[in-house]
Amino acid sequence: MRASTAPVGAASAMLLVGTSTAVSATIADYPVFAGQALRYALAAAILLAVVGHRRPPRAHLTARDVLLLIALAATGLAGFNVFLVEATRHAGPAMIASVVGAVPLVLALLGPLTERRRPAPRTVGAALVVAIGTAVAAGLGSGSTKGLLLSLGALAGEVAFSLLAVPLLPRLGPLRVAAYPAALSVPMLLAAGLALDGTASLRLPTPGQAAAFGYLGAVVTAAAFFLWYDALRRLGADRAGLFAGLVPVGALLTTVALGLGRAGPADVTGALLVTVGVAVGLRRPSPGLSDERPCLTVGGAGES
């Protein structure tokens, strides 16, 4: 992916992730953690097969790489799902979506700091608009204090999904960074399922559920994760993070397209705010008037 097409890749990735909301409704009766393990196992198999086919330059994993990959799998994938599932038991979907919708703002602040540079005011302001748009679309629902804390845990997992990948991408490339944590998260999710749901969580899905898991694994995970990580290494966490606000937009479009619901005024207003925020954040200011850096074009040992 060229640097000029990185925004398209980031937008596509987050819109695809948004489609998972409607698809997940078809597997609501299947044990959550076992289902996520199936999803990530399929995604890992696809991504590792692509890595084997493309034969990118060898990249020796250091101890630091291994620790980062394990941390990414534990927080950004398995941990995110655990917090999200537990949050739904103590808070409404609107509240959870509003909290997790702050991802662009958090990445705009923390992304530059991890690279020892100042957050760009334009990107931070744009991220705030995106977060507000997400909250408006979600409806700022209600929930308990425990639900809020669990939602913040899900937010932390979503942020870790990007920030922990940043130092890995130059050497390993987006395919490996997408594949390895997906594979590592499978035993973690299975363990969580056994601990919380018992052996009843281990059962075969119905044909319809299998089709849903196939879509989630192949499209929402394998394809979207690769597109996201490829865009992340070129745009940086702060600017790429703006596109996280498109997740509810993708969910809205899918829900309307499948006839599962209608778009209300709050949905449309939130989507418009997200669009404005992303556009403002990516717009190039006049030279010398911004501390924002150009797009990353890191190559390294990873595949392009």
Side-chain angles (χ1 to χ4, degrees):
M1 184 188 297
R2 296 178 180 177
S4 59
T5 60
V8 176
S12 300
M14 293 297 100
L15 287 172
L16 286 175
V17 170
T19 67
S20 66
T21 302
V23 177
S24 295
T26 66
I27 53 174
D29 295 333
Y30 193 84
V32 174
F33 298 110
Q36 294 301 313
L38 286 174
R39 165 191 174 181
Y40 288 126
L42 174 60
I46 293 172
L47 290 165
L48 290 173
V50 175
V51 170
H53 175 73
R54 295 185 63 173
R55 298 181 181 276
R58 288 184 176 275
H60 176 70
L61 291 177
T62 65
R64 178 174 176 270
D65 292 337
V66 173
L67 289 176
L68 283 173
L69 289 168
I70 293 175
L72 176 53
T75 58
L77 279 70
F80 171 77
N81 281 282
V82 170
F83 277 112
L84 190 64
V85 171
E86 289 300 305
T88 60
R89 300 175 181 176
H90 302 278
M95 175 182 175
I96 298 171
S98 298
V99 173
V100 178
V103 166
L105 182 58
V106 178
L107 288 178
L109 293 171
L110 296 185
L113 295 178
T114 60
E115 300 173 2
R116 298 182 180 180
R117 58 186 177 87
R118 288 188 307 166
R122 174 187 291 270
T123 308
V124 173
L128 182 59
V129 173
V130 171
I132 292 173
T134 303
V136 170
L140 288 173
S142 60
S144 64
T145 301
K146 187 173 183 179
L148 174 61
L149 293 176
L150 289 167
S151 299
L152 290 172
L155 170 63
E158 188 74 359
V159 172
F161 177 74
S162 293
L163 291 186
L164 290 177
V166 171
L168 293 166
L169 286 168
R171 290 188 61 254
L172 301 183
L175 274 176
R176 290 190 179 106
V177 174
Y180 295 166
L184 289 169
S185 71
V186 174
M188 299 178 186
L189 288 163
L190 288 176
L194 289 172
L196 297 173
D197 301 323
T199 55
S201 64
L202 303 178
R203 60 181 173 87
L204 291 174
T206 65
Q209 291 171 337
F213 285 127
Y215 175 80
L216 291 173
V219 179
V220 178
T221 306
F225 280 21
F226 167 73
L227 289 171
W228 176 250
Y229 282 143
D230 198 40
L232 181 65
R233 68 172 178 168
R234 300 179 188 280
L235 294 174
D238 49 351
R239 300 182 75 217
L242 296 171
F243 291 93
L246 292 177
V247 171
V249 177
L252 172 64
L253 293 175
T254 307
T255 300
V256 173
L258 295 179
L260 300 176
R262 293 182 298 177
D267 299 314
V268 176
T269 301
L272 289 174
L273 283 172
V274 168
T275 302
V276 170
V278 171
V280 170
L282 293 177
R283 183 170 173 265
R284 294 282 184 193
S286 302
L289 297 181
S290 172
D291 56 356
E292 210 166 348
R293 63 167 184 190
C295 295
L296 293 176
T297 55
V298 178
E303 65 277 6
S304 59

